[in-house]
Amino acid sequence: MNTPLLYPYSLLCELTYRCPLQCPYCSNPVNFECYTEEELDTQEWQRILDEAAALGVVQVHFSGGEPLLRKDILQIIRKARDLNLYSNLSTGGTLLTEKLVHELRSAGLDSLQISIQDADSLNSEYISGRLRSFEKKKKAALLAKNAGFPLTINVVLHKQNLDNIEAIIRLAEDLGAERLELANTQFNGWALKNRNLLLPTRPQVEQAVSVVESARLRLKGKMEILYIVPDYFEQYPKPCLYGWGRVFMTITSDGIVLPCQAAREISELKFENARDKSLEKIWFESESFCIFRGTDWMPEPCRSCPQKVIDFGGCRCQAFLLTGNAAVTDPVCSLSPHHTLIEQALKETETRSQEMWVYRNEEESKRLTIKSLFDNNK
Amino acid sequence: MQSILNIVLKKVKNMTLISDIDIPILAPKARLKWDPVRQKHLLLFPEGLLVLNQTAHEVITMCDGKHKVITIVNSLGDKYKTHVDADIRELLSKLVEKRLLLLLE
């Protein structure tokens, strides 16, 4: 397949890696602490939005960390509005106030996403690692609705909350969400560190699917439920971002331009910084974007597989983190020569457990960064 | 009409029933946009977008809270002299189901 040159539709701006929550499956890199002092300033983000719009981006998604920690969040959103970009903001919700929600609305923000960790405060706060956060999140959802935002509730699913999925769906309904995004944990970054506590069992997954299916019927036309499957249990990998460098672009808080938000962990690739080069040059010419674009790079079993134009060989980040080589077939594919890695992990989740997960915070980030440097040089 | 991002329109099993006298209006969360880079009309909404062909764009433009479904169908049918009736109804149903169009009484 010769992929014609495509322009990106969607830009994810990870405005900061700082966050009051400590969710153990966070998609930020494990070593995020190394980059927290290099955040882009207001003018840099505004210039990036200019460049992105000129390159064809029509949707911009503000995320983090916690994007509401940015003092200039309104200026950044106003810029997106001026460029006629459709803007989403994804927040943990704990910092949202009545004043702020109205300011976000008048700055031109189009839609709000609030994360929920579970259906009750005890479980929710155990997962988010933040006491008294659950009530704040519920209040944030109410504020968002009252301000007239279309509200998405998003929930990362895993072993510890999958059994509560019915109650989670009810909660989203009660909060007045128009969309519920149920995303099974993707095992990159922090989630991979905590896999033994997060990877569900097959009966859990099957039960959840049937609950989701009946909820969809019940809520048809009222609340849309997006369910992102747990790829460890699938025969073929997910069409990760509809192909590398094809539709999506992510920019980290310190300006690194990535084809996918987890890609920073692929340490064998060098990613460019939006401080040094234009987004256009990076999107079309950089090695990091071109290397896995299309299908020519693919090894067997992808190369001769008819699925390759559907799943694009799966997730490059997962391939790298599990095998040390980003250019192999995603190990979750049942045809991958590395698929035993997945089978082993599934076996382990039935029998073994860590005592406690590693929370995502600066101290743990420092500790794990140093440990990984030490282990790699031994 | 081709769907691009992670909201992919599902095959509508039980088609939302829209009647001839319903009056569709674009939901506040959805926005039409002319994309100068690709030279296409787009429909933008939370976490997704649709790339519209000309007919789809004309249908959605007529969803302004003033035209009945039957008026939209007839007006485009007359213009293109083809049988677009079923296509237009299917598009409207899908958009209603995704709550990108609201129906006025």
Coordinates of all heavy atoms in Angstrom, one line a residue, chain A residues 312-346:
Chain A
F312 N -2.7 -2.1 11.0 CA -1.4 -1.4 10.9 C -0.3 -2.0 11.7 O 0.6 -1.3 12.1 CB -1.6 0.1 11.2 CG -2.6 0.8 10.4 CD1 -3.9 1.0 11.0 CD2 -2.4 1.2 9.1 CE1 -4.9 1.6 10.3 CE2 -3.5 1.7 8.4 CZ -4.7 2.0 9.0
G313 N -0.4 -3.3 12.0 CA 0.6 -4.0 12.8 C 0.5 -3.8 14.2 O 1.4 -4.2 15.0
G314 N -0.5 -3.1 14.7 CA -0.8 -2.8 16.1 C 0.1 -1.7 16.7 O 0.5 -0.8 15.9
C315 N 0.4 -1.8 17.9 CA 1.0 -0.7 18.7 C 2.5 -0.8 18.7 O 3.0 -1.8 19.2 CB 0.4 -0.8 20.1 SG 1.1 0.4 21.3
R316 N 3.1 0.2 18.2 CA 4.6 0.2 18.2 C 5.2 0.3 19.6 O 6.3 -0.2 19.9 CB 5.2 1.4 17.3 CG 4.8 1.4 15.8 CD 5.3 0.2 15.1 NE 4.3 -0.8 15.1 CZ 4.5 -2.1 15.4 NH1 5.7 -2.5 15.7 NH2 3.6 -3.0 15.4
C317 N 4.5 1.0 20.4 CA 5.0 1.2 21.8 C 5.0 -0.1 22.5 O 5.9 -0.4 23.2 CB 4.2 2.3 22.5 SG 3.9 3.7 21.5
Q318 N 3.9 -0.8 22.4 CA 3.8 -2.1 23.0 C 4.8 -3.1 22.5 O 5.4 -3.8 23.3 CB 2.4 -2.7 22.8 CG 2.0 -3.9 23.5 CD 0.6 -4.0 23.8 OE1 0.1 -3.6 24.9 NE2 -0.2 -4.5 22.9
A319 N 5.0 -3.1 21.2 CA 6.1 -3.9 20.6 C 7.4 -3.6 21.2 O 8.1 -4.5 21.6 CB 6.1 -3.7 19.1
F320 N 7.7 -2.4 21.4 CA 9.0 -2.0 21.9 C 9.1 -2.4 23.4 O 10.1 -2.9 23.9 CB 9.3 -0.5 21.8 CG 10.6 0.0 22.4 CD1 11.8 -0.3 21.8 CD2 10.6 0.6 23.6 CE1 13.0 0.1 22.4 CE2 11.8 1.0 24.2 CZ 13.0 0.7 23.6
L321 N 8.1 -2.0 24.2 CA 8.2 -2.3 25.6 C 8.2 -3.7 26.0 O 8.9 -4.1 27.0 CB 7.0 -1.6 26.3 CG 7.1 -0.1 26.4 CD1 5.7 0.5 26.9 CD2 8.2 0.4 27.3
L322 N 7.6 -4.6 25.1 CA 7.6 -6.0 25.5 C 8.8 -6.8 24.8 O 9.2 -7.8 25.4 CB 6.3 -6.6 25.0 CG 5.0 -6.1 25.8 CD1 3.8 -6.9 25.3 CD2 5.2 -6.3 27.3
T323 N 9.3 -6.3 23.7 CA 10.3 -7.1 23.0 C 11.6 -6.3 22.9 O 12.7 -6.9 22.5 CB 9.9 -7.5 21.6 OG1 10.0 -6.3 20.7 CG2 8.5 -8.0 21.5
G324 N 11.6 -5.0 23.1 CA 12.8 -4.2 22.9 C 13.0 -3.8 21.5 O 14.0 -3.1 21.2
N325 N 12.1 -4.1 20.6 CA 12.2 -3.7 19.2 C 10.8 -3.2 18.7 O 9.8 -3.9 18.7 CB 12.6 -5.0 18.4 CG 12.7 -4.6 16.9 OD1 12.5 -3.5 16.4 ND2 13.1 -5.6 16.1
A326 N 10.8 -1.9 18.4 CA 9.5 -1.3 18.0 C 9.1 -1.7 16.6 O 7.9 -1.5 16.2 CB 9.7 0.2 18.0
A327 N 9.9 -2.4 15.8 CA 9.6 -2.7 14.5 C 9.1 -4.1 14.3 O 9.1 -4.6 13.2 CB 10.9 -2.5 13.6
V328 N 8.7 -4.8 15.3 CA 8.1 -6.1 15.2 C 6.6 -6.0 15.3 O 6.1 -5.1 15.8 CB 8.7 -7.1 16.2 CG1 10.2 -7.3 16.0 CG2 8.4 -6.7 17.6
T329 N 6.0 -7.1 14.9 CA 4.5 -7.2 15.0 C 4.1 -7.1 16.5 O 4.8 -7.6 17.4 CB 4.1 -8.6 14.5 OG1 4.4 -8.7 13.1 CG2 2.6 -8.8 14.7
D330 N 3.1 -6.4 16.8 CA 2.6 -6.2 18.2 C 2.4 -7.6 18.8 O 1.7 -8.4 18.2 CB 1.3 -5.4 18.1 CG 0.7 -5.1 19.5 OD1 1.1 -5.7 20.5 OD2 -0.1 -4.2 19.5
P331 N 3.0 -7.9 19.9 CA 2.9 -9.2 20.5 C 1.5 -9.6 20.9 O 1.2 -10.8 21.1 CB 3.7 -9.1 21.8 CG 4.7 -8.0 21.6 CD 4.0 -7.0 20.7
V332 N 0.5 -8.7 21.0 CA -0.8 -9.1 21.3 C -1.4 -9.9 20.1 O -2.4 -10.6 20.3 CB -1.8 -8.0 21.7 CG1 -1.3 -7.2 22.9 CG2 -2.1 -7.0 20.6
C333 N -0.9 -9.7 18.9 CA -1.4 -10.5 17.8 C -1.1 -11.9 18.0 O 0.0 -12.3 18.3 CB -0.7 -10.0 16.5 SG -1.4 -10.9 15.0
S334 N -2.1 -12.8 17.7 CA -2.0 -14.2 17.9 C -1.0 -14.8 17.0 O -0.5 -15.9 17.2 CB -3.3 -14.9 17.8 OG -3.9 -14.6 16.5
L335 N -0.6 -14.1 15.9 CA 0.3 -14.6 14.9 C 1.8 -14.1 15.2 O 2.7 -14.6 14.6 CB 0.0 -14.1 13.5 CG -1.5 -14.4 13.0 CD1 -1.8 -13.7 11.7 CD2 -1.6 -15.9 12.8
S336 N 1.9 -13.3 16.2 CA 3.2 -12.8 16.5 C 4.1 -13.9 17.1 O 3.7 -14.6 18.0 CB 3.1 -11.6 17.5 OG 4.3 -11.5 18.2
P337 N 5.4 -13.9 16.7 CA 6.3 -14.9 17.3 C 6.5 -14.6 18.8 O 7.1 -15.4 19.5 CB 7.6 -14.7 16.5 CG 7.5 -13.5 15.8 CD 6.0 -13.2 15.6
H338 N 6.2 -13.4 19.3 CA 6.4 -13.0 20.7 C 5.1 -13.2 21.5 O 5.0 -12.7 22.6 CB 6.8 -11.6 20.8 CG 8.2 -11.3 20.2 ND1 8.3 -10.7 18.9 CD2 9.4 -11.6 20.6 CE1 9.6 -10.7 18.6 NE2 10.3 -11.2 19.6
H339 N 4.1 -13.8 20.9 CA 2.8 -13.8 21.6 C 2.8 -14.6 22.9 O 1.9 -14.3 23.8 CB 1.7 -14.5 20.6 CG 0.3 -14.3 21.2 ND1 -0.3 -13.1 21.3 CD2 -0.6 -15.3 21.6 CE1 -1.5 -13.3 21.8 NE2 -1.7 -14.6 22.0
T340 N 3.8 -15.4 23.1 CA 3.9 -16.1 24.4 C 4.0 -15.2 25.6 O 3.6 -15.5 26.7 CB 5.1 -17.1 24.4 OG1 6.2 -16.4 24.0 CG2 4.8 -18.3 23.6
L341 N 4.6 -14.0 25.3 CA 4.7 -13.0 26.3 C 3.4 -12.6 26.9 O 3.2 -12.3 28.1 CB 5.4 -11.7 25.8 CG 6.9 -11.8 25.4 CD1 7.3 -10.6 24.6 CD2 7.8 -12.1 26.6
I342 N 2.4 -12.5 26.0 CA 1.0 -12.1 26.4 C 0.4 -13.3 27.2 O -0.2 -13.1 28.2 CB 0.2 -11.8 25.2 CG1 0.8 -10.6 24.4 CG2 -1.2 -11.4 25.5 CD1 0.9 -9.3 25.1
E343 N 0.6 -14.5 26.6 CA 0.0 -15.7 27.3 C 0.5 -15.8 28.7 O -0.2 -16.1 29.6 CB 0.3 -16.9 26.5 CG -0.6 -16.9 25.2 CD -0.1 -18.0 24.1 OE1 1.0 -18.5 24.3 OE2 -0.8 -18.1 23.1
Q344 N 1.8 -15.6 28.9 CA 2.4 -15.7 30.2 C 1.8 -14.6 31.1 O 1.5 -15.0 32.3 CB 3.9 -15.3 30.1 CG 4.8 -16.6 29.9 CD 6.2 -16.1 29.5 OE1 6.6 -15.0 29.8 NE2 7.0 -17.0 28.8
A345 N 1.7 -13.4 30.6 CA 1.1 -12.3 31.5 C -0.3 -12.7 31.9 O -0.7 -12.5 33.1 CB 1.1 -11.0 30.7
L346 N -1.1 -13.3 31.0 CA -2.4 -13.6 31.3 C -2.5 -14.7 32.4 O -3.3 -14.8 33.3 CB -3.2 -14.1 30.1 CG -3.5 -12.9 29.1 CD1 -4.1 -13.5 27.8 CD2 -4.5 -12.0 29.7

